[in-house]
Amino acid sequence: MNSLKHERKFGFESWDKEKINKVFSFAQDYKYFISENKTEREVVKTLRRIVEKQGFVEIDAKDYTQNKPKKVFKVNRDKSIVLGIFGKKPVKEGIKMVLSHIDSPRIDLKPHPLYENEKIAWFKTQYYGGIKKYQWPAMPLAIHGVVVLENGQKVEIKFGEKEDEPVLTITDLLPHLSAKQMEKKLEEAVEAEEMNVVVGSVPTSNSKLKTLNSKSEEGKDLVKLGVLELLNKKYGIIEEDLVSADLEIVPAGKARDLGFDSSMIGGYGQDDRVCAFTSLQALLSLDEEKLGQGVVLVFADKEETGSESNTGSLSSFIPDFISEMLFLEEGKHDENLLRDCLSATKAISADVTVAYDPDYTSVFDPQNTARLGAGIAVEKYCGRRGKSGTSEASAEYLGEIRRIFNKKAVLWQTGGLGKVDLGGGGTIAVFLARHNMDVVDAGPPILSMHSPFEISSKIDVYSCFEAYQAFLSS
Ligand code: MN
Ligand code: MN
């Protein structure tokens, strides 16, 4: 019999040396992954490379009925990707799904970003997702993304990450003159329109450019022109090209081990690339021959802004992909089969949650908040106030998840988003539940969540891998 009283277990207290060694080596790969892939596009590109190597076939218009691939994938506009593996059971009887998101809170460029003010060139920005604006000034920043030229050619930009490369930054006011600013509410201390990025200060020395420009106003915008000249040299772009671009400002530099004991990882955008990485590793570790139900992994974009847009989870690309899998199996597109499959599907919405922070005890219910290092956190519901806007997992489904995790000795705990009525939040779970599937949130607890430097425990990262693996193979 299990012990009568339930107590939270911590990995560093209960796991043996051999397991801890695995935890640390897994964390190395994870750190590398989040350091190299900071945007949804970069994650998709890397995932495509990995799964193609593993024999996944991209579903396209070809007829596969003669030679049905076992492992398939589809990329949606380079910003989201879905992977599928067929099991022994037909897809129409339901599949196992794990969904994570690969966008993170950040600062985007406006369509007309570049201007000059006081002989300094700047980028205008608009923040993306839920950030605390005061956390972003006075730190090294990088720019990642793509610019599409008028002829359709795509230019990739990743600047500020290499050690010998310059970085960008947002300025902050010196404390000596901040008396007024310090009196402001935190929310207003740094205004969105003040989050302009410093990008240069050398005026162009190109006499041709100078003369062209002087026709309008002599000596004006020479620094801006200097930056445009550099951008043109480096990337072949002109100012108008910035209109058709997805350019994202993110913290510069790599994820790091944290603590004298290296037990934690500090880095940008662990929400939610931690679940993307661990669910991918779980999928790749499966014994495909033994797979009962088919499995699907979704890596979605736009979660941080509400899952809208064609690459967000509210778009039809998720059911469309499953429909394609059904077609491969049944040889026909049939809405009823798709509905049958979706309503018999079991899903994990793999997303991070808050870790109990002893510096801010007043916002937590200590008994129902996840702890760093105590394993993957399962959340029956999130939402706001009286469970508003949430997808609540049923007792039956929670029972099933608990059984699956316990059977494989997965280190898990429950999580919740702080004290009732203090705030709240949501995940992709609600959108999956609309397809009438069973879904529950499960992911690692994070300290400093949504900040430029989020903290995870290596124990929890590994527990997520084990949990998703147990779920997908159950
Ligand atoms: Mn998230
Ligand atoms: Mn988030």
Side-chain angles (χ1 to χ4, degrees):
M1 185 185 144
N2 292 334
S3 70
L4 194 58
K5 209 170 144 225
H6 174 74
E7 271 180 73
R8 189 181 273 117
K9 276 203 200 94
F10 289 84
F12 282 120
E13 288 171 5
S14 52
W15 287 357
D16 60 25
K17 193 146 187 274
E18 198 186 326
K19 179 123 182 189
I20 297 293
N21 285 342
K22 272 193 209 166
V23 166
F24 274 73
S25 91
F26 189 84
Q28 285 299 106
D29 293 341
Y30 167 60
K31 247 183 340 184
Y32 181 79
F33 179 83
I34 59 170
S35 300
E36 291 300 310
N37 304 285
K38 291 192 179 176
T39 67
E40 53 283 353
R41 285 180 190 270
E42 287 164 3
V43 173
V44 166
K45 204 171 168 190
T46 297
L47 258 52
R48 175 196 277 277
R49 204 184 63 233
I50 293 172
V51 299
E52 276 179 345
K53 250 192 220 155
Q54 298 287 329
F56 283 73
V57 175
E58 181 155 28
I59 299 185
D60 50 29
K62 266 189 237 131
D63 179 8
Y64 296 106
T65 35
Q66 295 307 310
N67 191 11
K68 191 186 94 174
K70 173 105 178 130
K71 301 187 282 188
V72 290
F73 76 99
K74 183 123 191 155
V75 168
N76 185 14
R77 294 174 169 82
D78 293 340
K79 289 160 93 166
S80 53
I81 179 169
V82 196
L83 318 175
I85 305 181
F86 290 95
K88 287 184 194 128
K89 272 194 185 171
V91 173
K92 64 183 173 194
E93 289 177 24
I95 52 173
K96 291 262 170 58
M97 283 176 85
V98 177
L99 293 94
S100 58
H101 66 91
I102 50 178
D103 61 319
S104 296
R106 59 173 189 255
I107 300 172
D108 286 344
L109 296 199
K110 287 188 178 183
H112 283 297
L114 187 59
Y115 68 101
E116 175 178 335
N117 196 351
E118 294 300 327
K119 308 283 181 200
I120 298 174
W122 312 74
F123 276 156
K124 281 179 165 290
T125 66
Q126 177 152 6
Y127 62 96
Y128 172 99
I131 64 163
K132 289 167 103 174
K133 295 187 282 281
Y134 71 84
Q135 291 175 337
W136 288 75
M139 65 180 293
L141 299 169
I143 184 164
H144 294 226
V146 299
V147 178
V148 176
L149 310 186
E150 199 175 5
N151 66 10
Q153 192 197 327
K154 253 190 222 184
V155 180
E156 283 182 35
I157 293 181
K158 186 173 186 175
F159 183 84
E161 296 291 357
K162 289 186 207 131
E163 251 157 61
D164 55 352
E165 204 168 45
V167 293
L168 310 176
T169 199
I170 294 169
T171 60
D172 198 1
L173 196 56
L174 66 170
H176 316 62
L177 297 176
S178 294
K180 280 253 168 64
Q181 187 197 36
M182 297 295 229
E183 282 166 18
K184 284 188 184 172
K185 280 199 270 176
L186 219 44
E187 162 113 49
E188 292 147 14
V190 175
E191 306 269 0
E193 293 290 346
E194 290 168 353
M195 299 183 74
N196 302 310
V197 180
V198 177
V199 299
S201 63
V202 180
T204 180
S205 54
N206 184 329
S207 49
K208 224 159 111 199
L209 274 177
K210 273 186 184 170
T211 348
L212 273 175
N213 193 55
S214 64
K215 275 179 196 153
S216 49
E217 206 175 329
E218 199 169 350
K220 196 182 162 253
D221 280 351
L222 294 184
V223 175
K224 173 177 167 172
L225 279 168
V227 169
L228 281 172
E229 221 181 337
L230 279 175
L231 290 177
N232 187 262
K233 222 196 236 158
K234 200 167 164 57
Y235 303 109
I237 59 177
I238 56 171
E239 189 174 15
E240 192 182 295
D241 293 328
L242 295 173
V243 169
S244 46
D246 288 336
L247 289 169
E248 309 176 5
I249 304 285
V250 295
K254 295 185 167 97
R256 308 284 293 264
D257 276 352
L258 183 71
F260 287 115
D261 53 14
S262 299
S263 58
M264 296 163 277
I265 294 164
Y268 164 72
Q270 302 200 58
D271 173 9
D272 184 33
R273 289 172 299 147
V274 61
C275 295
F277 179 79
T278 51
S279 62
L280 175 73
Q281 294 308 318
L283 183 87
L284 298 180
S285 75
L286 297 178
D287 182 348
E288 293 151 28
E289 300 310 315
K290 287 193 187 142
L291 213 54
Q293 276 182 302
V295 301
V296 163
L297 247 59
V298 179
F299 303 84
D301 181 27
K302 292 286 185 282
E303 194 274 342
E304 298 293 357
T305 54
S307 294
E308 300 280 2
S309 298
N310 49 17
T311 49
S313 321
L314 278 167
S315 139
S316 63
F317 79 88
I318 299 172
D320 288 352
F321 179 78
I322 296 168
S323 189
E324 291 299 333
M325 285 181 76
L326 277 165
F327 181 77
L328 285 179
E329 208 161 71
E330 309 287 339
K332 59 178 174 180
H333 281 290
D334 183 327
E335 181 72 13
N336 279 327
L337 288 183
L338 178 61
R339 295 286 134 212
D340 288 346
C341 165
L342 291 174
S343 60
T345 286
K346 314 256 178 192
I348 286 182
S349 156
D351 206 346
V352 303
T353 187
V354 62
Y356 187 83
D357 186 336
D359 273 341
Y360 297 95
T361 53
S362 67
V363 301
F364 301 112
D365 164 10
Q367 192 164 321
N368 286 288
T369 304
R371 298 302 199 279
L372 208 69
I376 187 170
V378 181
E379 271 185 27
K380 193 171 191 295
Y381 53 84
C382 43
R384 288 162 207 280
R385 304 186 70 83
K387 299 191 179 178
S388 144
T390 190
S391 162
E392 181 162 5
S394 67
E396 289 85 348
Y397 191 46
L398 256 280
E400 191 178 335
I401 293 291
R402 190 180 137 207
R403 205 156 47 239
I404 292 168
F405 287 178
N406 283 345
K407 198 173 155 200
K408 291 280 171 75
V410 170
L411 186 69
W412 64 274
Q413 55 183 328
T414 63
L417 213 53
K419 273 187 184 160
V420 182
D421 282 351
L422 270 192
T427 65
I428 296 175
V430 278
F431 311 126
L432 297 176
R434 286 180 193 176
H435 295 296
N436 192 24
M437 62 179 77
D438 275 315
V439 56
V440 68
D441 283 302
I446 299 282
L447 283 171
S448 302
M449 196 177 131
H450 275 213
S451 80
F453 194 72
E454 298 181 313
I455 299 167
S456 63
S457 163
K458 290 184 178 177
I459 293 285
D460 303 330
V461 174
Y462 195 73
S463 298
C464 285
F465 161 68
E466 288 193 318
Y468 302 143
Q469 187 187 48
F471 172 75
L472 290 172
S473 60
S474 65

